[in-house]
Amino acid sequence: MEFLSYLISGISLGSVYAIIALGYTMVYGIAKMLNFAHGDVIMVGGYISFCAMSYLELPGWLSVVLAMAVCTVLGVVIEGLAYKPLRQATSLAVLITAIGVSYFLQNAAQLIWGASPKGYTPLVPALNAKGEPNALQLFDGQLSIPYLSLLIMAVCIIVMVALTFFTGQTKLGKAMRACSEDKGAAQLMGINVNRTISVTFAIGSALAAVAGVLLCSFTTSLMPTTGSMPGIKAFTAAVFGGIGSIPGAFLGGILLGIIESLAKAYISTQLANAILFAVLIIVLLVRPSGLLGKYVPEKV
Amino acid sequence: MKKLIGRIKGLKKTTKVDFATYLGVILAFVLFTVLRDRGLLNRSITGMLVPICAYIVMAVSLNLTVGILGELSLGHAGFMSVGAFSGVIAAQSLQAAVPSAPVRLAIAILVGALFAAVAGTIVGVPVLRLQGDYLAIVTLAFGEIIKELINCLLVGCDSRGLHIAFNITGNLTINDIGMEPGGMAIIKGAQGATGTTTIASFTAGFILIMLTLVIVLNLVRSRAGRAIMALRDNRIAAESVGINITKYKLMAFITSAALAGGAGALYGLNYSNLSASKFSFDTSILVLVYVVLGGLGRMWGSIIAAAVLYILPEALREFADYRMLVYAIVLILVMLATNNDQLKALAGRIIPKRKGVSSNG
């Protein structure tokens, strides 16, 4: 039972990672860039929903919508101002610019909201009105699954299914896949590459906002640096599953969450991240392109 | 004199750039020493001299991996961390045996470089078969692992020698490692190294920079260096003319790690308190920014970028809270400007490029 509850908490943490990793992987797939500012968009999403709930006193679901809207605009603006001029530049130049954007967002957030952590009211409170834990009780109360965890998992599955449908069936999604395969050929086929990339950033940022709200509900605190470590972990999750692959990001995120949760419970809280990254290294050594990544042999 | 000038003119372009680099570093060292001794430098600058030296060595060594070998490493601070803490342990435990501070510092830097080289081998051997962004993520992971491992490390020293314990459960403290009373605590887990005798000096930093430059520039200009650059430019072509990929990749990577370790030892011995969180992902990124802004493969560029960008946040102090925001904006604008085709064309018209100038000056 104990194991099961750790497993479930791992899966719900992993679902948050998976949502972030989906954004990472889509942007990487199409723009071939490591968007290090993605983690900070998460943080911005968290703050927007925090402000909406505590200052404007909006209901939780509306704050999520607001956060998604703001982050979408933010993502498109960042892409247009900082990344679009660098389309032809080396990948390192784009990487450094992304780092610059990340610094910018963190410091701007610190100026606006201050450096001290803010208490975040979770979307689903941990205790209900009667003071009982807000959780699904199974096996005579031996196993309790917080409704928040169920919500996070449900959101993750919905996002995953919607994205699979979107990239597989819709015209825009097909354009996205075409761009990630071959930009030149896509352009010749009449696809507006620049617009497609902007749309990808918009979707990725909207997902980041959702992830931000869920993450803050999970940790119940919010700081300007909240997004950086989950961002790095989600990036590893994307690589773990095979970067560029949507099911890969999902699988990678969930696995990462489970490993982290179990390592914390059974081995060492202090070394949880070290164990996580060690597993990542071993997986990459055995499967150099990630769990579900395609291995593309180099042709001469 | 005329003969000398003639000889200098006859040198290869790359050799001239190398000599100019050495000369520039020596002049800067003399200038800053004189200014410091005259008391013309304010306290904050004086305090930054040693860290600047350490970061210059870091930037030059990372440039070897990123610029010359062409592999993106996001965990360079991990090697710095290994070097810093092994160097601090060496220096602290040898306090009685080696009374002379400069000698102890030299030993510490060597020990730091050695341990970092070992770490570089452990990471490099399996990892260098990965390519591109996968290598980046593994080096990133390595940096994080090192940080957490050192956060768990307890080291003390008494008359019986070193006591090392690994605080996996989080319950141990420095008193549980079986030291005699009166033993000296060197590393206290998450607190890091405490009570270190600071023996790093600007002169030592200068010598380390010169040594680094001699090692890196000679490596780059040698047969091995050309092989490494051939790997970077076209791996398959290089392999087909018989260049041993693993050997040369490892050579560059381990050299780079060892130098970072030396820089770490110098840095670590400059502060009495030092925690492992100082060498986080952000530090790796910081050094990468120096390398990219200074120019890939351009060692003098790394030196200037490291020195200027280390001082920049300090110089922006008048912006107070807006300091890091301005830094971020400067960073983005510089990247946009250096990659702007119109600006490049303009610069090309002002400074006509000579024929045969390689980008690796």
Side-chain angles (χ1 to χ4, degrees):
Chain A
M1 281 313 130
E2 205 183 29
F3 174 78
L4 267 182
S5 77
Y6 288 133
L7 192 67
I8 286 164
S9 111
I11 293 175
S12 62
L13 179 65
S15 302
V16 179
Y17 289 156
I19 299 174
I20 310 172
L22 285 170
Y24 246 119
T25 231
M26 284 178 72
V27 167
Y28 183 87
I30 195 158
K32 293 282 174 292
M33 65 167 287
L34 303 176
N35 184 13
F36 270 114
H38 197 72
D40 301 291
V41 178
I42 299 169
M43 173 271 299
V44 173
Y47 270 111
I48 298 291
S49 101
F50 168 80
C51 288
M53 283 200 286
S54 47
Y55 302 140
L56 302 176
E57 292 175 0
L58 295 177
W61 63 271
L62 202 58
S63 82
V64 180
V65 175
L66 192 67
M68 280 172 77
V70 172
C71 283
T72 308
V73 174
L74 182 69
V76 173
V77 169
I78 290 173
E79 199 271 332
L81 287 183
Y83 302 153
K84 198 178 265 172
L86 295 174
R87 221 36 57 86
Q88 309 300 329
T90 57
S91 61
L92 259 180
V94 188
L95 183 77
I96 300 291
T97 313
I99 291 162
V101 173
S102 160
Y103 280 166
F104 177 82
L105 290 179
Q106 274 184 25
N107 289 293
Q110 190 169 334
L111 281 177
I112 300 173
W113 291 292
S116 56
K118 296 228 186 299
Y120 187 91
T121 330
L123 284 185
V124 182
L127 299 175
N128 62 16
K130 282 183 246 163
E132 292 158 349
N134 223 346
L136 187 67
Q137 305 289 345
L138 292 176
F139 306 110
D140 295 337
Q142 285 183 29
L143 180 66
S144 94
I145 309 171
Y147 287 131
L148 181 66
S149 298
L150 291 177
L151 175 75
I152 293 176
M153 288 180 228
V155 169
C156 177
I157 289 169
I158 293 170
V159 165
M160 160 79 191
V161 170
L163 271 186
T164 316
F165 173 78
F166 176 74
T167 51
Q169 307 295 324
T170 62
K171 210 168 178 188
L172 201 55
K174 284 180 189 162
M176 241 173 231
R177 283 191 297 153
C179 285
S180 70
E181 200 114 320
D182 189 332
K183 282 203 192 66
Q187 194 148 25
L188 289 176
M189 295 298 121
I191 294 171
N192 186 340
V193 175
N194 271 333
R195 206 196 60 181
T196 314
I197 294 181
S198 298
V199 171
T200 314
F201 268 89
I203 296 176
S205 308
L207 288 183
V210 176
V213 173
L214 295 179
L215 183 76
C216 295
S217 297
F218 200 79
T219 58
T220 67
S221 78
L222 189 54
M223 269 161 50
T225 51
T226 292
S228 45
M229 198 58 198
I232 293 175
K233 279 188 193 155
F235 171 43
T236 34
V239 176
F240 200 58
I243 195 155
S245 138
I246 289 180
F250 177 74
L251 183 70
I254 301 279
L255 281 180
L256 219 67
I258 294 176
I259 296 171
E260 183 176 335
S261 169
L262 293 185
K264 260 189 192 147
Y266 292 109
I267 307 177
S268 161
T269 326
Q270 313 241 321
L271 287 176
N273 286 340
I275 293 166
L276 191 84
F277 286 119
V279 173
L280 170 88
I281 293 181
I282 293 166
V283 168
L284 280 188
L285 292 179
V286 181
R287 286 192 62 92
S289 44
L291 289 174
L292 298 181
K294 262 185 293 178
Y295 174 67
V296 187
E298 216 170 334
K299 286 181 195 151
V300 184
Chain B
M1 195 63 201
K2 228 178 189 176
K3 218 175 171 183
L4 189 72
I5 292 173
R7 222 185 232 181
I8 290 177
K9 273 191 179 161
L11 286 173
K12 272 199 288 182
K13 159 101 182 156
T14 49
T15 322
K16 277 189 219 163
V17 171
D18 290 358
F19 280 142
T21 311
Y22 291 127
L23 199 66
V25 172
I26 295 171
L27 286 180
F29 171 67
V30 172
L31 179 72
F32 275 97
T33 314
V34 170
L35 283 180
R36 186 188 56 179
D37 293 346
R38 290 272 176 85
L40 290 170
L41 291 179
N42 64 25
R43 269 179 78 111
S44 75
I45 296 281
T46 320
M48 277 157 65
L49 288 176
V50 176
I52 287 176
C53 291
Y55 275 105
I56 287 177
V57 175
M58 284 294 288
V60 170
S61 65
L62 185 63
N63 206 339
L64 183 62
T65 306
V66 179
I68 305 294
L69 179 62
E71 300 283 7
L72 178 58
S73 165
L74 295 178
H76 212 51
F79 297 118
M80 191 183 188
S81 183
V82 171
F85 288 98
S86 52
V88 166
I89 293 173
Q92 288 293 93
S93 53
L94 289 176
Q95 241 166 9
V98 186
S100 154
V103 178
R104 209 161 65 227
L105 181 63
I107 294 175
I109 289 177
L110 272 180
V111 169
L114 194 72
F115 272 83
V118 171
T121 317
I122 295 172
V123 181
V125 169
V127 154
L128 283 174
R129 30 181 234 127
L130 300 172
Q131 275 162 13
D133 299 326
Y134 290 96
L135 183 82
I137 191 76
V138 170
T139 46
L140 189 165
F142 160 75
E144 293 298 313
I145 292 176
I146 288 290
K147 193 178 80 183
E148 294 221 333
L149 287 183
I150 291 178
N151 267 336
C152 291
L153 195 64
L154 296 170
V155 180
C157 170
D158 60 16
S159 58
R160 286 177 294 157
L162 279 178
H163 294 265
I164 298 173
F166 217 64
N167 183 14
I168 291 180
T169 53
N171 302 328
L172 296 179
T173 64
I174 193 72
N175 302 319
D176 300 332
I177 59 174
M179 268 196 306
E180 290 169 358
M184 175 178 53
I186 301 178
I187 297 179
K188 286 188 192 168
Q191 272 179 293
T194 51
T196 312
T197 322
T198 55
I199 50 176
S201 64
F202 184 39
T203 316
F206 162 72
I207 295 171
L208 188 64
I209 294 178
M210 290 304 280
L211 264 177
T212 306
L213 280 177
V214 169
I215 293 171
V216 171
L217 290 177
N218 277 305
L219 176 66
V220 173
R221 307 292 178 226
S222 70
R223 190 189 166 88
R226 288 192 296 274
I228 294 168
M229 285 189 277
L231 277 182
R232 171 195 65 189
D233 294 338
N234 192 328
R235 192 178 56 86
I236 293 171
E239 200 172 13
S240 68
V241 293
I243 289 175
N244 184 342
I245 291 192
T246 316
K247 178 182 152 193
Y248 286 111
K249 269 192 173 178
L250 271 181
M251 186 190 281
F253 195 72
I254 295 174
T255 311
S256 165
L259 291 173
L266 178 77
Y267 188 85
L269 288 167
N270 189 44
Y271 297 99
S272 54
N273 294 308
L274 184 73
S275 81
S277 55
K278 183 81 195 99
F279 306 105
S280 63
F281 175 61
D282 290 337
T283 311
S284 302
I285 291 295
L286 198 70
V287 180
L288 186 66
V289 168
Y290 298 159
V291 171
V292 174
L293 287 187
L296 291 179
R298 247 181 243 128
M299 299 308 162
W300 58 267
S302 294
I303 297 175
I304 294 173
V308 171
L309 288 177
Y310 193 86
I311 300 176
L312 186 65
E314 201 67 25
L316 292 173
R317 187 131 275 183
E318 51 189 301
F319 291 99
D321 292 342
Y322 296 91
R323 180 160 72 114
M324 286 311 288
L325 201 66
V326 174
Y327 182 82
I329 294 172
V330 168
L331 193 63
I332 299 172
L333 288 182
V334 168
M335 285 329 283
L336 290 181
T338 48
N339 285 288
N340 189 316
D341 288 334
Q342 281 160 337
L343 273 180
K344 256 189 203 164
L346 191 70
R349 244 181 289 159
I350 297 167
I351 317 158
K353 247 195 182 161
R354 272 167 294 169
K355 259 188 193 171
V357 177
S358 75
S359 56
N360 307 301

